[in-house]
Short mmCIF file of all heavy atoms in Angstrom, two decimals:
data_model
loop_
_atom_site.label_atom_id
_atom_site.label_comp_id
_atom_site.label_asym_id
_atom_site.label_seq_id
_atom_site.Cartn_x
_atom_site.Cartn_y
_atom_site.Cartn_z
N SER V 180 -8.23 -6.35 -6.11
CA SER V 180 -7.89 -5.15 -5.25
C SER V 180 -6.44 -4.74 -5.60
O SER V 180 -5.49 -5.43 -5.74
CB SER V 180 -7.82 -5.67 -3.75
OG SER V 180 -9.03 -6.20 -3.38
N PHE V 181 -6.41 -3.46 -5.92
CA PHE V 181 -5.20 -2.70 -6.56
C PHE V 181 -4.50 -1.92 -5.45
O PHE V 181 -5.08 -0.91 -5.05
CB PHE V 181 -5.64 -1.93 -7.74
CG PHE V 181 -4.41 -1.21 -8.44
CD1 PHE V 181 -3.52 -1.94 -9.14
CD2 PHE V 181 -4.25 0.07 -8.22
CE1 PHE V 181 -2.40 -1.29 -9.82
CE2 PHE V 181 -3.16 0.76 -8.70
CZ PHE V 181 -2.26 0.01 -9.55
N ASP V 182 -3.30 -2.37 -5.13
CA ASP V 182 -2.49 -1.57 -4.15
C ASP V 182 -3.22 -0.96 -2.93
O ASP V 182 -3.20 0.24 -2.88
CB ASP V 182 -1.76 -0.53 -4.95
CG ASP V 182 -0.36 -0.11 -4.35
OD1 ASP V 182 0.16 -1.04 -3.66
OD2 ASP V 182 -0.02 0.92 -4.47
N PRO V 183 -3.90 -1.75 -2.12
CA PRO V 183 -4.60 -1.19 -1.04
C PRO V 183 -3.75 -0.46 -0.02
O PRO V 183 -2.53 -0.82 0.08
CB PRO V 183 -5.29 -2.41 -0.37
CG PRO V 183 -4.40 -3.56 -0.72
CD PRO V 183 -3.94 -3.23 -2.11
N ALA V 184 -4.23 0.54 0.61
CA ALA V 184 -3.41 1.38 1.53
C ALA V 184 -2.92 0.50 2.80
O ALA V 184 -1.72 0.72 3.26
CB ALA V 184 -4.32 2.50 2.10
N SER V 185 -3.70 -0.48 3.19
CA SER V 185 -3.35 -1.32 4.33
C SER V 185 -4.14 -2.65 4.26
O SER V 185 -5.14 -2.66 3.63
CB SER V 185 -3.53 -0.66 5.62
OG SER V 185 -4.82 -0.38 5.91
N SER V 186 -3.77 -3.56 5.19
CA SER V 186 -4.55 -4.86 5.24
C SER V 186 -5.78 -4.54 5.78
O SER V 186 -6.88 -5.18 5.35
CB SER V 186 -3.78 -5.90 6.11
OG SER V 186 -2.48 -6.21 5.55
N GLU V 187 -5.94 -3.61 6.77
CA GLU V 187 -7.29 -3.34 7.36
C GLU V 187 -8.20 -2.58 6.36
O GLU V 187 -9.35 -2.85 6.22
CB GLU V 187 -7.05 -2.40 8.58
CG GLU V 187 -8.29 -2.12 9.28
CD GLU V 187 -8.18 -1.55 10.75
OE1 GLU V 187 -7.05 -1.24 11.05
OE2 GLU V 187 -9.12 -1.48 11.48
N SER V 188 -7.74 -1.62 5.58
CA SER V 188 -8.57 -0.95 4.57
C SER V 188 -9.01 -1.96 3.53
O SER V 188 -10.03 -1.92 3.00
CB SER V 188 -7.81 0.24 3.94
OG SER V 188 -6.72 -0.23 3.18
N LEU V 189 -8.06 -2.96 3.14
CA LEU V 189 -8.39 -4.01 2.29
C LEU V 189 -9.60 -4.81 2.70
O LEU V 189 -10.57 -5.09 2.00
CB LEU V 189 -7.32 -4.87 1.98
CG LEU V 189 -7.44 -6.19 1.13
CD1 LEU V 189 -8.06 -5.84 -0.30
CD2 LEU V 189 -6.24 -7.00 0.93
N GLY V 190 -9.54 -5.28 4.10
CA GLY V 190 -10.64 -6.07 4.69
C GLY V 190 -11.94 -5.20 4.68
O GLY V 190 -12.99 -5.86 4.45
N HIS V 191 -11.76 -3.99 5.04
CA HIS V 191 -13.03 -3.14 5.13
C HIS V 191 -13.67 -2.99 3.74
O HIS V 191 -14.93 -3.01 3.76
CB HIS V 191 -12.58 -1.77 5.64
CG HIS V 191 -13.79 -0.72 5.69
ND1 HIS V 191 -14.80 -0.86 6.55
CD2 HIS V 191 -14.00 0.34 5.02
CE1 HIS V 191 -15.67 0.18 6.32
NE2 HIS V 191 -15.15 0.91 5.41
N GLU V 192 -12.89 -2.69 2.75
CA GLU V 192 -13.50 -2.51 1.45
C GLU V 192 -14.14 -3.80 0.92
O GLU V 192 -15.18 -3.84 0.30
CB GLU V 192 -12.38 -2.13 0.39
CG GLU V 192 -11.82 -0.70 0.67
CD GLU V 192 -10.65 -0.36 -0.29
OE1 GLU V 192 -10.43 -1.26 -1.05
OE2 GLU V 192 -10.09 0.74 -0.25
N TYR V 193 -13.37 -4.91 1.06
CA TYR V 193 -13.84 -6.23 0.59
C TYR V 193 -15.10 -6.59 1.19
O TYR V 193 -16.08 -6.94 0.40
CB TYR V 193 -12.82 -7.26 0.78
CG TYR V 193 -13.09 -8.57 0.06
CD1 TYR V 193 -12.70 -8.69 -1.23
CD2 TYR V 193 -13.68 -9.71 0.70
CE1 TYR V 193 -12.90 -9.88 -1.91
CE2 TYR V 193 -13.89 -10.82 0.03
CZ TYR V 193 -13.58 -10.83 -1.36
OH TYR V 193 -13.79 -12.08 -1.96
N GLY V 194 -15.27 -6.60 2.47
CA GLY V 194 -16.47 -7.04 3.16
C GLY V 194 -17.68 -6.20 2.68
O GLY V 194 -18.67 -6.88 2.39
N LYS V 195 -17.55 -4.88 2.63
CA LYS V 195 -18.65 -3.98 2.24
C LYS V 195 -19.03 -4.25 0.88
O LYS V 195 -20.27 -4.40 0.52
CB LYS V 195 -18.21 -2.54 2.53
CG LYS V 195 -19.33 -1.52 2.31
CD LYS V 195 -18.77 -0.11 2.69
CE LYS V 195 -19.85 0.88 2.59
NZ LYS V 195 -20.21 1.20 1.28
#
Side-chain angles (χ1 to χ4, degrees):
S180 301
F181 179 77
D182 206 28
S185 65
S186 296
E187 185 165 8
S188 67
L189 173 60
H191 173 69
E192 290 176 1
Y193 189 83
K195 187 172 185 293

